[in-house]
Amino acid sequence: MLTIKLQSLIMNNQVKLDRYKQELAKIYSQRSQNYDESKWHSQITHRLVEFAQIQPGDKVLDIATGTGHVAIEVAQLIGDDGRVVGIDISSGMLEQARKKVAQLNLKNIEFQLADGENIDFPANSFDLIFCANAFPLMADKAATLRLWSTFLKPGGYIGLHSIAETGFTGIVVLEKVLENHGINLDVFHLSNTVNTIEKYQDLLTQADLEIISVEMENHGSYLSLEDTKKRWNLVYYPSPGNIPNPLTQLSSEEIEQMKAEFEEELEQLITPEGIWNNGTTFLVLGRKPVD
Ligand SMILES: C[S@@+](CC[C@H](N)C(=O)[O-])C[C@H]1O[C@@H](n2cnc3c(N)ncnc32)[C@H](O)[C@@H]1O
């Protein structure tokens, strides 16, 4: 029953999405107007672009572009001979990206509403493919990476950035509290496939990509208790294995009890600077062999 539900494709504007992705798209569209308030995202996407060493004239695909952090920075580096395509399932995120492009008057960039797991570009057409802060959200990571590698020119690169299992602190605490109640939420779907350097290396190898670099970098900052408590809202973040969300099966008393336990746990973590929000990330770079 659950599998049938997940596989049934539903139209959302012009992109066909299953229920998991419909929910994701809705969450990001709701968040789109405030998304750029997070300094972390722009810092980390800048780090990914820097890591990949863009060349003038490059043709670049930015998958799950969101409000275009990566795509817009790349467009400013590749010049008039280069081209960037940013794709995303959230029309709200793309609307913000398009507004920024219009303000900057960039002409070498376009955005398309599309599912990164179901895209079709000509083979061997991009020098670089990026996916920042979103690869773990792909339901079938191995198949998706294999698909993306077909769009790369020989010698082209795939650059991924994603959060490690230790981040973010509020989410780790949230998952622990829910686990104590028998609920496995796995926000951002980090477990099993993308939680170690070796697993990223393995995914690159399965996609016939050369491993150029897989690194973990320490990032983080202090957040106020109030802001960390807001992570509670992520209990409704969709996951392929959690449709419908398990909390919808619980009574309001049980949910309030878990929320109280979550807040108590956070209170134990307060320091004079606030709560340390661990933002450790993976930076991954693979290359398509030249033959
Ligand atoms: C955390 S945001 C990252 C946005 C941007 N890459 C950045 O780093 O700022 C995750 C984005 O992934 C998008 N997304 C999730 N699953 C997707 C999929 N299957 N195909 C395309 N976009 C997807 C969401 O709509 C959202 O905009």
Side-chain angles (χ1 to χ4, degrees), residues 28 35 45 64-66 69 88-90 93 114-116 132-134 137-138:
Y28 280 102
Y35 184 83
T45 50
T65 190
H69 282 315
D88 202 285
I89 52 172
S90 157
M93 294 292 265
D115 174 1
N133 294 304
L137 302 178
M138 302 300 147

Side-chain angles (χ1 to χ4, degrees), residues 67-104:
T67 59
H69 282 315
V70 167
I72 291 172
E73 184 170 350
V74 167
Q76 291 167 318
L77 295 170
I78 54 178
D80 293 342
D81 293 336
R83 184 103 202 128
V84 194
V85 181
I87 68 122
D88 202 285
I89 52 172
S90 157
S91 53
M93 294 292 265
L94 291 182
E95 196 182 319
Q96 298 303 316
R98 289 191 180 108
K99 275 189 200 159
K100 293 194 281 186
V101 164
Q103 277 161 7
L104 292 164

Side-chain angles (χ1 to χ4, degrees), residues 266-280:
L266 292 184
E267 277 153 23
Q268 318 258 339
L269 300 177
I270 299 179
T271 72
E273 291 95 348
I275 294 183
W276 177 248
N277 187 29
N278 184 320
T280 304

Side-chain angles (χ1 to χ4, degrees), residues 61 119-126 129 147-153 288:
L61 175 62
I119 39 177
D120 190 14
F121 289 99
N124 308 328
S125 51
F126 291 102
I129 297 178
L147 172 70
W148 296 352
S149 72
T150 64
F151 307 138
L152 275 184
K153 295 177 187 173
K288 186 165 174 172

Side-chain angles (χ1 to χ4, degrees), residues 149-192:
S149 72
T150 64
F151 307 138
L152 275 184
K153 295 177 187 173
Y157 292 89
I158 284 189
L160 309 176
H161 156 270
S162 51
I163 191 79
E165 241 177 346
T166 46
F168 300 103
T169 304
I171 297 175
V172 172
V173 173
L174 180 65
E175 289 182 341
K176 191 179 118 199
V177 168
L178 265 65
E179 214 175 296
N180 290 342
H181 288 261
I183 297 172
N184 174 12
L185 208 58
D186 193 15
V187 177
F188 304 149
H189 329 145
L190 301 174
S191 59
N192 302 325

Side-chain angles (χ1 to χ4, degrees), residues 9-274:
L9 297 172
I10 306 162
M11 287 295 284
N12 171 14
N13 293 342
Q14 289 125 35
V15 66
K16 280 182 173 181
L17 299 176
D18 62 26
R19 183 159 163 204
Y20 157 61
K21 287 177 187 165
Q22 282 228 326
E23 290 189 15
L24 261 185
K26 188 169 158 208
I27 281 185
Y28 280 102
S29 286
Q30 282 164 348
R31 200 181 148 194
S32 60
Q33 297 199 7
N34 304 326
Y35 184 83
D36 284 0
E37 285 170 14
S38 149
K39 296 276 168 288
W40 186 82
H41 285 105
S42 52
Q43 273 167 18
I44 221 75
T45 50
H46 170 70
R47 178 74 192 104
L48 179 63
V49 173
E50 186 182 61
F51 190 68
Q53 300 183 4
I54 304 285
Q55 303 298 318
D58 274 351
K59 309 286 179 284
V60 180
L61 175 62
D62 181 25
I63 295 172
T65 190
T67 59
H69 282 315
V70 167
I72 291 172
E73 184 170 350
V74 167
Q76 291 167 318
L77 295 170
I78 54 178
D80 293 342
D81 293 336
R83 184 103 202 128
V84 194
V85 181
I87 68 122
D88 202 285
I89 52 172
S90 157
S91 53
M93 294 292 265
L94 291 182
E95 196 182 319
Q96 298 303 316
R98 289 191 180 108
K99 275 189 200 159
K100 293 194 281 186
V101 164
Q103 277 161 7
L104 292 164
N105 199 23
L106 294 169
K107 303 290 183 211
N108 56 357
I109 181 166
E110 68 178 278
F111 294 106
Q112 297 174 9
L113 190 68
D115 174 1
E117 292 193 81
N118 194 18
I119 39 177
D120 190 14
F121 289 99
N124 308 328
S125 51
F126 291 102
D127 298 288
L128 245 155
I129 297 178
F130 284 115
C131 183
N133 294 304
F135 183 65
L137 302 178
M138 302 300 147
D140 186 339
K141 292 160 187 70
T144 299
L145 207 53
R146 273 199 303 275
L147 172 70
W148 296 352
S149 72
T150 64
F151 307 138
L152 275 184
K153 295 177 187 173
Y157 292 89
I158 284 189
L160 309 176
H161 156 270
S162 51
I163 191 79
E165 241 177 346
T166 46
F168 300 103
T169 304
I171 297 175
V172 172
V173 173
L174 180 65
E175 289 182 341
K176 191 179 118 199
V177 168
L178 265 65
E179 214 175 296
N180 290 342
H181 288 261
I183 297 172
N184 174 12
L185 208 58
D186 193 15
V187 177
F188 304 149
H189 329 145
L190 301 174
S191 59
N192 302 325
T193 48
V194 284
N195 54 0
T196 65
I197 288 181
E198 291 72 26
K199 285 178 185 168
Y200 270 109
Q201 289 172 333
D202 194 38
L203 281 168
L204 289 175
T205 306
Q206 284 181 53
D208 290 329
L209 294 165
E210 295 165 356
I211 300 164
I212 302 300
S213 174
V214 181
E215 292 173 16
M216 282 180 97
E217 286 192 350
N218 291 324
H219 295 272
S221 59
Y222 284 98
L223 278 187
S224 68
L225 176 63
E226 282 318 300
D227 281 343
T228 314
K229 281 183 180 175
K230 289 183 192 155
R231 298 285 192 197
W232 172 258
N233 297 328
L234 287 166
V235 291
Y236 296 109
Y237 197 90
S239 162
N242 277 345
I243 305 275
N245 186 293
L247 268 76
T248 57
Q249 325 284 316
L250 302 182
S251 69
S252 53
E253 288 78 17
E254 281 172 293
I255 294 175
E256 278 312 307
Q257 171 64 29
M258 289 192 293
K259 188 172 180 192
E261 287 171 26
F262 169 66
E263 295 189 351
E264 271 166 37
E265 293 268 347
L266 292 184
E267 277 153 23
Q268 318 258 339
L269 300 177
I270 299 179
T271 72
E273 291 95 348

